[in-house]
Amino acid sequence: MNEAIAVAISARIAAIRLPVPGARYTLPQPLAWRLFKAGENESAQQGTTEKVVTLIDGLDTDTRYRLTIEGFSDFHFHTRTCAGMVNATYFGLVAGADLNDLAKAKDNADKFKAALAYVPSGGTLYLGPGLWTTLPLALRSDMTLHLAEGAVLRAPSLRDGWPILPARDDAGNMLGSWEGLPEACFAAPVHAIGAQNLTIEGMGILDGSGNAGDWWTWPKETRDGARRPRGLHLAGCKDVTLLGFTIRNAPSWTVHPQGCDRLKAVGLHIQAPHDSPNTDGFDPEGCTDVLVEGVRFSVGDDCIAIKAGKRGSGGEADHLAETRNVQIRHCLMERGHGGVVIGSEMSGGVHDVTVEDCDMIGTDRGLRLKTRRGRGGAITNITMRRVMMDGVLVPLSANAHYFCDADGHADWVQSRQPAPVAEGTPQIDGILVEDVDVYDLALAAGVFLGLPEMPIRNIRIRRLRIHSNDPNATTAPPIMADGVRDMRHQGILCEHAEVDCDDQKLLSPDPISLPNLLAAS
């Protein structure tokens, strides 16, 4: 019999993994389940599930349950306690406020603040069904925000009156940020600073209204002295659980944990239109011990972008922090520029990232590492196994000549001649890919472009199976670096990179000669 595994248990929701062999995001076939309270023979709930990570809502707090599932041993779990629940609507919230009505949005924000003040330590702020428009909401430690099914918590379309986070707090720590550097930014519609033991959960929706205002018309600019807000921003938080809800239409990055420790994101649905600018799905930056499991992505940029800050143009590095131990399992990435991306803001170092049992459908890239001279830092110990990619342009890539920033095309960044190894020289060491299935390959199975002074080391590829090529694919450069030729239906190519592949047919016979293959004719 299979054994179910608890992924996250809150006071009212349980996320259970059903590890059927070969299953990634969805199960091979739906499974029926029944839920019993301990000592009772009549089921409290029953249903069917099609997902490996299954969520059960509407549980009683501090209660022991028994879950029966076809083909699995009985699974027992105990929900967490709750010190008290406060219904936010009792404080006079106005439902359905117009997105342009800032007065009502501010009034709702004041009422949310009053409701939060009543939530006891270890308690819950409950938001029931309805459409609730409010200016940004700041959460605190030792609480749960529960979004009931049918609840939509959304931001107004106008930015007047929005709070702005400064680049640094009073202690000098990075607070507001933009692409890895301290900068003032508008506060996210839901945010928390320095919170501990925080849970955001439920079957409801967080809507950043990025599609309703002008946020998406100035993706790289500053307005009113600040950068665009995220959809959900967590700065300096510890022991945070994000469970079950949908988050959509973020003004910029959708979920941005920054400097957080021990974070779980489980069973979420992260959405943005395909043409919305820089609406990454989930961007942990300077974080440790992060779990992303059972999450469905459909966004306008990278689905998951793992970051560790960017060294300043003058070498500034006091804001940098490493990202370490990121586990990504049983996720569905339906669209985006990349499935799992590391960098290019990686100056603090990104280490120990594992991607397992995921589906990537229609993403431009699958596993993508990107950096450039000037970044410094290291990317080490990256593992991907048991992943299916369908309609992905380039399943695997690592690029140390990524042409980002204003000087990205400068000769010192793009030159293939060795440069002195210095503090700003980035390193990539240790990429393991196992049991990856690729369908409708477009450009190349893998492209690894390292620095001549710091080659990419220890790339191992095992059982990479190319099942089909996309017959409608058109030639294009497979990575964003100068001097790279257009490709179509290529295997694995590398320049200044050490690749050990178990299928020699996928390897160019002489990697040293690959600059000639990569260079534009």
Side-chain angles (χ1 to χ4, degrees), residues 439-457:
Y439 298 85
D440 278 356
L441 172 69
L443 303 183
V447 176
F448 301 93
L449 177 59
L451 297 172
E453 68 271 21
M454 188 63 67
I456 302 172
R457 303 191 186 281

Side-chain angles (χ1 to χ4, degrees), residues 79-130:
T79 55
R80 291 166 50 188
T81 60
C82 175
M85 186 173 74
V86 174
N87 192 325
T89 61
Y90 292 171
F91 287 76
L93 294 176
V94 176
D98 188 281
L99 282 171
N100 296 322
D101 193 336
L102 286 171
K104 287 185 179 178
K106 183 182 185 305
D107 186 56
N108 273 348
D110 291 340
K111 289 169 179 174
F112 268 116
K113 186 176 180 179
L116 276 167
Y118 272 84
V119 177
S121 178
T124 298
L125 179 64
Y126 174 89
L127 184 63

Side-chain angles (χ1 to χ4, degrees), residues 400-419:
H401 291 272
Y402 182 62
F403 51 56
C404 57
D405 297 338
D407 60 351
H409 294 283
D411 183 67
W412 74 274
V413 176
Q414 294 297 327
S415 174
R416 304 300 199 270
Q417 297 302 312

Side-chain angles (χ1 to χ4, degrees), residues 341-358:
V341 177
I342 300 174
S344 68
E345 303 96 311
M346 43 63 67
S347 300
V350 177
H351 312 284
D352 305 330
V353 176
T354 301
V355 184
E356 297 179 318
D357 302 300
C358 291

Side-chain angles (χ1 to χ4, degrees), residues 299-321:
V299 294
D301 208 310
D302 297 326
C303 294
I304 298 175
I306 301 170
K307 302 177 181 293
K310 179 167 67 176
R311 193 178 303 273
S313 58
E316 300 88 351
D318 65 326
H319 59 288
L320 302 178

